[in-house]
Structures are given as structure tokens and as C-alpha cells.
Amino acid sequence: MTEAAAQVKALRDTLARYDHRYYVLDDPEVPDAEYDRTLHALKRLEAAHPTLVTPDSPTQRVSGTPLKAFGEVTHRVPMLSLDNAFADDEVRGFDRRVRERLERDEPIVYHCEPKLDGLAVTLRYEQGELTVGATRGDGATGEDITQNLRTLPGVPLRLRGEGVPSVLEVRGEVFMTQRGFERLNAEALARGDKAFVNPRNAAAGSLRQLDPRITAQRPLEIFFYGLGWVEGGALPKQHGEVLAALRAFGLRTCPEIRLVKGVEGLLAYYAEIGAKRASLPYQIDGVVYKVDSLESQRQLGFVARAPRWAVAHKYPAEEEMTTVREIEWQVGRTGALTPVARLEPVFVGGVTVSNATLHNVDELTRKDVRVGDTVILRRAGDVIPEVVRVIPERRPAHTVPSVLPGVCPVCGSAVARVDGEAVARCTGGWLCPAQRKEAIKHFAHRRAMDIEGLGDKLVEQLVDSELIARASDLYRLTVDPLAALDRLGAKSAANLIASIDHSRATTLPRFLFALGIPNVGEATALAVAQHFAGLEAIQAASAEAIMAVPDVGPVVAASIRAFFDEPRNSQEIEALIAGGVHWPAMEVVRSAHQPLAGKTIVLTGTLPTLSRADAEALIRQAGGKVTSSVTKKTDYLLAGENAGSKLARAEELKVLVISQADLMAFLS
Ligand code: 5U1
């Protein structure tokens, strides 16, 4: 065998394995992007060595392997695949070729819609009645899944309205919404069953059940996007109007459909849907552009198995593969040890990612991520990248499980884990430079003492150069040693001293928050300050007395009490006050002002400045109730950046959506 033949065989074997795992077992081995790369490598090799092309090569079929258990359906009109475009230039090339072939200078009218990450199916209606439903299979022949498709609420068993052709084949995508997927997986895990890896696989697995009663229980939905064979009836001459006719027959189409003009219209649509992608209730991997005029489509025709009149413009993959170089333990302000995977940099979800948090030791153990492992990394929207899982087939020999270190990697103090808590902590406290650095970063934060110009890097530099060891040292700093620091200079040093000076005049709630008491966020600091109206009163209060503060429970109260019981903390507070930190006197606020009394509020997405816990605390203090899912009983949805399925649900149920600014306005 030549080297090329051996490579072709190896790639085909790999693809056959990927296909089996994907289509038959519904348990993909690698992310789609890796599958596509492998298929491309094979296509390139076959193009260079045409004699190696065989009819059974994975490059010679669209996709899919019919399951033996289902009957076969031959598609009267083949189910095509789509060419992909990844860059704007490729879309410009597509538009140019369309205009050249049609000999048109003026902008083309295109029909645009999202490309759902689901399963393509075809439905045949005869005299308006559903007779056959099938998967795409290999494009020419699919599996007969009529009984399963009949269970989908979105599949009408009989079409409605006027002018239904006597034979109408319609094509669409079956999918599962993110919400449906999460519910299904939660139920599976509760039963001790294996979870599905993503909504697409959950949809595929659900649709290809041999028992339709199982399919019927799965949250499957469908959007229709095109036609197959049509007989005995006239349909409109524009694609968009055909879809409108399908809607009139009772077939659901995607609400994001748009008609645009020319390539600029296409690119604007791509950007518009891209911006919405993370908040759509379903997963998409691109958008599809189609020439709207069916006559132009006919003139343009096909190349191989893809139409010349359509293209899929893909978004950056949200899942990619990469390898773990190192697993490091970061020590936070409260000593919490967080495992962080240092990764071979990889482009995913539109950015290059080289780190991913593994959250805590339980998560690390559950996912069994090891140095040297190949992992699937997911980054959707602006959400922090997540290691989805390890690819066990790619684990090198002699790897070892990553375990919680016995001592703090920064200061060497013992690491302790409270029973029942996921978090392990360094017991070094003030002795641990990592904790001190984090405590000072928190102290200087905009929402705490607001020391302008004192960023994270500078705090590290100040601690490392031993100019400061704790926050109170900031108030003893002078310009000269600061100016001598690398990259700082006299002017910046003077500015920093000025902003430190400025921070001396603060408020009690800010000061309390800046102390970094575990479990005390901004909202709790404010509530405690208002309740006691003075630092001495708080320092003297028993845990029971602290629990009288609205929304402060036993855990927070104990945490506050323990903080003030620690002599080093009291000394630090004295040092800060001696350094000139002061605040105006406060009045006791024990108001019964409850502007949200009786209101039920759900939170979603990332708020501009409030943490989730703080927002919840503020709502509760104002008499509101926080619940986790949007129902008809929800009064408000408090939505931030990257709100997901809850936002869609709220819009569906016409629940009022409010922002952080709206909430603050209510509270004031
Ligand atoms: N939304 C949509 N998805 N999708 C997939 N439209 C669409 N059209 C397709 C495919 C394969 O094919 C036609 C262009 C034939």
C-alpha cells in the first residue's frame, strides 16, 4: 500500500468510528469541528489521488447510516446538503457566482434563516394527510420514522387551509430547545441514566427510538424550511412565499426568517443573528442564505449534491478540542482553592482560549481531567469557557488523576475541607500571599474602596516587592518607593497616592464590603450597615443580633461574627482607621419599606455590576420572592447579558423583563 493509500484508509477508519458513535450510538467521540477537519483531510487527499476514491468513501455520501430496525424510504427528490462558507469573502464569492450565472448586476433578493443544529427530516402529505416521515439518511435513502414523527406536536397529521397540493413533501429540522434538553437531562440524571451530550444528540436519540411512546415524551420541535416532491397544486414562485404557504397549511417555520437584498444584506443578517445566537432558545451553527426566486434557483441548479443557489454561513464552533498542559490551583481571597486547566490555546466561540476553570475539586474528580488529556472545550456567547468532558480514547498512557493538594501551593499551609462543602481552602489566612493579594484587590475594587489606578497587576507587584503586605499598608505608601517600581514612574506614582488618599473618605457599607468578610457581598454589607449604623455596634453584635438584619441567615451571621473574633482582623481595622479611613455617621434604617412585597422575580444572565447573590438579597430585602423558573406566576424577569432560554420563555408568557437599572429604580 502506498503512503497515500494508508493515510486514506486511516482517515476512513477514523470517520467510520466517528459516524458510528454519532449516528448509531448518539454518543459522539469528538466535536463537530474535528469531524469536519478529518473529512476535509480525506477530501483533500482523494482530490490529489483520484484513483483512491471508492464509492463507499465517507466523502461520497451526504451523511447517515440507515438503522437496520427502521424501514427504508427512497427520497423522490434527493435531500441535499449545503456548501459552507466561513468567512465574509466566501459569502461575497457565493453572491458573485450567483449574479454571474444569472447575468444580473442588481442585488439579488435572498431568503435568510438560522441553520438549526438538529436533524433533517422529510414529511409526505397525500391529500393533506401525513403518510410518510423519514430521516435524511444518506440523502438518497432515509429511515422510515413516521410513527415517531407523528408524536411531535409540531407535526400536523392533517394539513389545513386552501390550496394544499395533492402530494406535498416538506423538509424541516427537528430540534430540541436548550430548556427541553436541560429538563430531559435533569430527569435522566435523577433516574441514574446517562445524560445526552448536547441538544442535537438528544434530538437524534429521541427521534430514532424504536418505541414511539418514548419519542412522544421527549421535548422535540420542528421548523420547516423547504420542499421535496410536489404534485397536483400550484405553489408561489418565491421561496419566502412558499414558506408563508406552508405556514398557512399549519407547518411551523422559524420566526427569524428574513428577506434581504445583496451581499451586504446577507452579512448584516449574519451579524444580527450572531448577536442573538446565545439567547436563542435553540442551538444554531450558522445561517442559511437561499436565492428567493424559484426560477433563479432552477437556472442555477446544482453541483454534486449541493445547490448553487444556497449556502450555509457558519459561526465559529462553540466546541473545540484541545489538550491540557497543566492543572493549577488558584487561591482566592477566602483561601478557596480552584483548579484551573492551562490549555493548548484553541480558537473556540470566536476567541482564543488557553485557560478554563474546573470550578472545584468535586467537579475535577467527576470529569476526571488529567494533565495530557484531550478535552472538549465549550464557549458559547460570552459565557466563561468550560471543559465539557475528556475524550477517553485520546488519553495518553501513564496519566495520573489530579488530586487536591495537601498544602497550599502558594504558602504551604494546610488545605482543609469542610464536610459537605465543595470548596477546599488554604488555612494560611493572612500568612498566605495569594489570599492577601486577592484581599487587597477586592479592597481596592471600584465597588469597595474605589482606589482608581490600583489594578490587579499593580497589587501583585506591590505585594511581591514587599511594599505592602495588607490593605492598611496602602495608607502608609509614599511616592518615592512607588516611583522606583518597574513601569510605574513618578507621575503614575503620584496619581496612585492621590487616589489612595481620596479613598480615605468612604462610607460604612463600602468599608464593610471592602473588608472581604466571607459571604458578605455588597447588598449584605449595606443591610448590616443600615441595621447597626456603626462599626462598633457590628463588632459587638452577637450572631443572633446579626441575624436580625433582613435576609441574614445563620451562615452569614456566623461568618461575620467569626471575622470580627479574629484578632488580626480587628488589628487591621484599627490600622485602616489609624491610616485615615473614615466615613460619615449613619442613621439606623429598619424600615418596613418593601416595594417588591408579594412579587415573584426570576433572575437570568449576567448583571452589569451586581452578583447574583447580591441581587437576590436585595430583592428579598425589598419583600420580593426569588424563584428559578419563569411561569405564569412570575411578575418580573430580571435579565442581564447573555440571558438564555428564560428570556425567551418570559417573552412567550409576556412576563415583564426588567434590567438591573429598573430594579434599582424600584428599590429607591
Ligand atoms: N434552515 C435551513 N436548513 N437547511 C438545511 N434551510 C436549509 N436548507 C437545506 C438544508 C440542507 O437544503 C436546501 C438548500 C436544499
Side-chain angles (χ1 to χ4, degrees), residues 93-272:
F94 161 74
D95 174 63
R96 196 189 54 246
R97 289 189 300 277
V98 165
R99 279 183 294 110
E100 280 170 5
R101 283 200 168 252
L102 296 176
E103 298 179 0
R104 292 258 299 275
D105 284 335
E106 70 276 22
I108 304 286
V109 176
Y110 288 107
H111 183 272
C112 308
E113 64 183 297
K115 184 169 184 301
L116 269 79
D117 220 356
L119 247 92
V121 297
T122 183
L123 298 178
R124 185 177 168 92
Y125 286 90
E126 294 176 54
Q127 316 306 334
E129 197 179 319
L130 177 65
T131 52
V132 182
T135 62
R136 176 158 72 172
D138 64 5
T141 309
E143 298 147 12
D144 183 344
I145 52 164
T146 314
Q147 295 313 318
N148 290 354
L149 283 168
R150 287 172 65 91
T151 69
L152 269 66
V155 170
L157 300 181
R158 169 163 281 287
L159 297 179
R160 40 189 283 173
E162 300 297 307
V164 177
S166 52
V167 178
L168 176 69
E169 271 180 24
V170 282
R171 269 128 203 215
E173 196 86 359
V174 173
F175 62 95
M176 203 176 272
T177 60
Q178 192 66 33
R179 207 159 59 92
F181 167 69
E182 282 162 16
R183 203 195 72 209
L184 184 67
N185 263 359
E187 287 167 3
L189 289 175
R191 279 195 310 271
D193 290 349
K194 218 176 126 197
F196 288 104
V197 296
N198 57 40
R200 193 207 168 279
N201 282 92
S206 302
L207 206 51
R208 293 157 85 251
Q209 289 289 331
L210 292 173
D211 182 353
R213 285 170 303 183
I214 297 180
T215 311
Q217 291 162 11
R218 302 287 171 84
L220 293 172
E221 303 196 19
I222 187 165
F223 285 149
F224 293 91
Y225 59 70
L227 296 176
W229 181 263
V230 182
E231 227 176 86
L235 285 173
K237 300 204 173 342
Q238 261 77 33
H239 181 75
E241 288 178 18
V242 168
L243 293 198
L246 295 188
R247 277 194 296 278
F249 298 155
L251 299 162
R252 218 172 143 217
T253 60
C254 178
E256 307 297 334
I257 284 175
R258 221 84 80 236
L259 281 183
V260 304
K261 265 196 185 164
V263 71
E264 297 311 324
L266 296 180
L267 298 179
Y269 180 78
Y270 181 79
E272 180 199 328

Side-chain angles (χ1 to χ4, degrees), residues 39 75 110 170 221 281 340 357 361 525 537 647 666:
L39 187 63
H75 304 308
Y110 288 107
V170 282
E221 303 196 19
V340 176
T357 173
V361 63
L647 182 57
F666 271 130

Side-chain angles (χ1 to χ4, degrees), residues 80 82 113-114 136 225 288 290 307 309-310:
L80 302 167
L82 283 167
E113 64 183 297
R136 176 158 72 172
Y225 59 70
V288 183
K290 294 174 186 167
W309 42 266

